[in-house]
Amino acid sequence: MTMADHQFILSNVACVDTAKSPHPISTGIGFFDHMIDQLNSHAQIGVAVTVTKSSGETSSSSATSNGDKHSFEFVNRYADEDQGVIMGQVGAALGSQLKELLYKDGEESNSRTSRFCCPLDEALVECVLTKSCSTNTEGKLTKFTLPPYGKYPANKGRSKIGTMKTQFVESFFTNLAQSSGMDVSLVKVRGDNGHHVVESAFKAFSRALRNLIDGTDTNNYTSKEFDQMWGEKSVSYTAGLELCREGKLERSTKETSILVHVLMNGLLKGGDSIQVDTGIKTMDDFVAILAKEAKMSVEAKCNGDLYVDDHHTSEDVSIALGQVLNTAFGTKAGLNRMWCATGTYGDAEVEVTMDLSNRPCITHNLSLSSNPNDEEYAGDLSIEMLDHVLESLVMNSKSTVHIVENKAGKTVLETAMATAMAYGAALRMCAAVDPRRAGKTASSKG
């Protein structure tokens, strides 16, 4: 596909479902190329687009004749041109290609929505895509709250990332939405790093798009499409069981004697698949709920110095659980890797967004220190240790996790159990095998 306006020509424009395009992404704006490449890794769509000047290439194009297509000068050859035109035109061209994928089976009787949040260590962006039932509908960018891009400088954020001008990210998504027929919403939940805000937006869009094409959604686990893709009779589920993933740790110190053993076995029906005895009921319930939602068997036993306090026991259990999960995941190649899930318990509603990233980081807004009842304990676990348990679990499983408290519980205990539910549900889907990835890691890093 080739498109042209008065200034630039776009060639080799393609969006190929679950396959690679033989052509490159080369817009003349290096960071923009990197962001478009997220569709290759996270939407599993082979994207290609090449931008040239309609008047012929400038002298910087000589880099290609010398074989240096990766030089800074060539990759960023249009950094000083009208980026608004380039990014808008690329958005429109890719949107037209995506429309062909979205409506490859013709018009539908119902519209469809897909929501995804992407967690990076310094950003969390939510994307909601709505596909109309009609191919004649023009899409629109319904919400866009990404600016400011980071907090440096204060109240302004970054104007450029690499050579890409951040003000034109909105132009890209506006034009993509219009030509694809999708309504697109991009909301920055949190984010202090401009690079990661933009990256989180493109990844969230890519993941939401993949789900939209598949007919699945993070908010609906009961649909026929979800069951076919991820259910207990799916290829994904069977492939996960065949990996026989497990992790086990036993150790003794002056403070604790501990055993933690996990099996990613789909939570075998019958028997005692979940056995947790730490001496702290809140910890027992937290781990058991997490395991149930993750559909994994867990044995966790700890004999700790509770005659001192709850610190060593709760800390060591969460560290060990994180470590054995990381062992069970192995290289994480071929896994779905990212998901977001909501848990409700009592009045509490909590969403956990997770990435098995190998870049451990946790960010949350749980009302622990500012709980309305001035509670010091969640059940029989001190609240400061609940905070530490979450951190220890995430850091030792080498995951990136964002926790969003949508509604606080009447007690911190309710909020803790809602968190465990959401954490387990997100973990289950992150650890699921995606057969389309053929054992490769879901990453643009290669």
Side-chain angles (χ1 to χ4, degrees):
M1 176 182 178
T2 300
M3 296 181 64
D5 75 349
H6 66 284
Q7 193 173 0
F8 298 100
I9 297 174
L10 272 60
S11 60
N12 299 325
V13 182
C15 291
V16 186
D17 194 18
T18 61
K20 289 185 177 181
S21 170
H23 302 292
I25 299 169
S26 182
T27 67
I29 307 168
F31 186 76
F32 186 40
D33 291 354
H34 181 49
M35 293 299 98
I36 295 173
D37 190 39
Q38 303 307 319
L39 274 79
N40 281 308
S41 301
H42 294 280
Q44 301 184 68
I45 293 173
V47 176
V49 57
T50 297
V51 178
T52 54
K53 294 191 73 172
S54 57
S55 59
E57 285 290 4
T58 61
S59 59
S60 65
S61 66
S62 63
T64 59
S65 62
N66 296 328
D68 192 8
K69 295 181 180 180
H70 301 293
S71 69
F72 179 90
E73 291 75 17
F74 178 72
V75 173
N76 292 283
R77 62 193 179 277
Y78 298 136
D80 296 326
E81 301 285 349
D82 190 338
Q83 292 192 17
V85 171
I86 294 172
M87 293 175 69
Q89 195 175 346
V90 169
L94 294 181
S96 295
Q97 291 289 297
L98 291 176
K99 189 170 189 175
E100 293 183 14
L101 291 183
L102 290 167
Y103 293 98
K104 58 187 175 183
D105 296 324
E107 295 191 358
E108 298 187 2
S109 58
N110 298 304
S111 62
R112 182 178 291 173
T113 297
S114 172
R115 174 182 179 271
F116 205 94
C117 298
C118 173
L120 294 178
D121 45 356
E122 294 174 285
L124 178 66
V125 172
E126 174 202 64
C127 177
V128 179
L129 303 179
T130 302
K131 171 188 173 184
S132 169
C133 59
S134 172
T135 59
N136 297 320
T137 301
E138 184 177 89
K140 57 184 178 293
L141 186 63
T142 59
K143 187 175 287 188
F144 188 84
T145 66
L146 301 188
Y149 295 96
K151 63 179 183 180
Y152 304 103
N155 302 317
K156 182 179 179 181
R158 297 183 67 174
S159 61
K160 289 198 306 181
I161 303 174
T163 64
M164 188 196 77
K165 296 177 181 178
T166 55
Q167 71 186 91
F168 299 121
V169 174
E170 186 171 1
S171 299
F172 169 78
F173 282 109
T174 296
N175 283 275
L176 185 149
Q178 288 175 349
S179 61
S180 68
M182 290 186 293
D183 286 350
V184 179
S185 169
L186 287 163
V187 174
K188 179 174 66 179
V189 180
R190 56 174 71 114
D192 292 333
N193 181 289
H195 176 119
H196 280 172
V197 168
V198 177
E199 185 176 349
S200 179
F202 273 83
K203 286 182 176 178
F205 171 80
S206 298
R207 291 281 178 155
L209 178 62
R210 181 70 262 164
N211 282 351
L212 194 66
I213 294 171
D214 290 343
T216 59
D217 184 27
T218 57
N219 286 339
N220 185 357
Y221 290 11
T222 61
S223 70
K224 177 184 69 175
E225 292 85 357
F226 186 92
D227 193 54
Q228 290 174 342
M229 186 72 206
W230 306 111
E232 293 187 6
K233 295 182 180 180
S234 66
V235 175
S236 166
Y237 190 84
T238 301
L241 295 181
E242 289 175 349
L243 289 175
C244 300
R245 295 174 288 178
E246 70 174 308
K248 187 175 183 179
L249 185 150
E250 289 185 77
R251 70 176 180 216
S252 294
T253 68
K254 292 192 298 183
E255 298 165 346
T256 60
S257 294
I258 192 165
L259 162 66
V260 177
H261 184 197
V262 300
L263 288 166
M264 310 296 293
N265 58 1
L267 194 58
L268 298 176
K269 295 178 174 63
D272 298 320
S273 297
I274 299 175
Q275 302 178 58
V276 187
D277 183 7
T278 67
I280 304 172
K281 187 178 186 305
T282 298
M283 278 298 299
D284 294 351
D285 292 344
F286 185 93
V287 174
I289 288 174
L290 188 158
K292 181 180 178 182
E293 294 296 324
K295 292 188 178 295
M296 66 183 187
S297 295
V298 171
E299 182 182 10
K301 296 180 179 179
C302 182
N303 184 12
D305 58 357
L306 293 175
Y307 50 82
V308 175
D309 70 352
D310 59 355
H311 187 106
H312 299 135
T313 296
S314 56
E315 177 183 52
D316 285 4
V317 169
S318 53
I319 288 174
L321 180 58
Q323 289 176 344
V324 297
L325 284 172
N326 189 53
T327 298
F329 295 147
T331 64
K332 301 167 185 172
L335 303 187
N336 187 37
R337 186 181 145 177
M338 288 186 191
W339 202 259
C340 49
T342 300
T344 57
Y345 192 99
D347 284 356
E349 181 181 299
V350 174
E351 181 172 54
V352 169
T353 305
M354 182 182 298
D355 179 5
L356 305 182
S357 62
N358 287 328
R359 295 184 298 277
C361 176
I362 179 170
T363 307
H364 73 75
N365 69 338
L366 298 176
S367 48
L368 303 183
S369 62
S370 58
N371 69 82
N373 300 320
D374 289 329
E375 295 173 275
E376 188 176 341
Y377 284 83
D380 58 351
L381 178 68
S382 59
I383 291 175
E384 69 177 13
M385 284 313 300
L386 172 60
D387 191 36
H388 192 51
V389 160
L390 293 170
E391 180 183 17
S392 297
L393 175 60
V394 170
M395 300 303 285
N396 284 277
S397 64
K398 297 186 178 180
S399 304
T400 301
V401 172
H402 280 262
I403 304 174
V404 176
E405 181 184 85
N406 294 326
K407 184 180 180 183
K410 289 180 179 178
T411 64
V412 175
L413 182 61
E414 286 188 356
T415 302
M417 296 305 123
T419 303
M421 292 180 70
Y423 197 106
L427 180 63
R428 170 199 166 195
M429 292 304 303
C430 289
V433 173
D434 188 342
R436 296 169 298 194
R437 296 196 178 278
K440 295 182 180 180
T441 303
S443 174
S444 60
K445 297 180 184 298

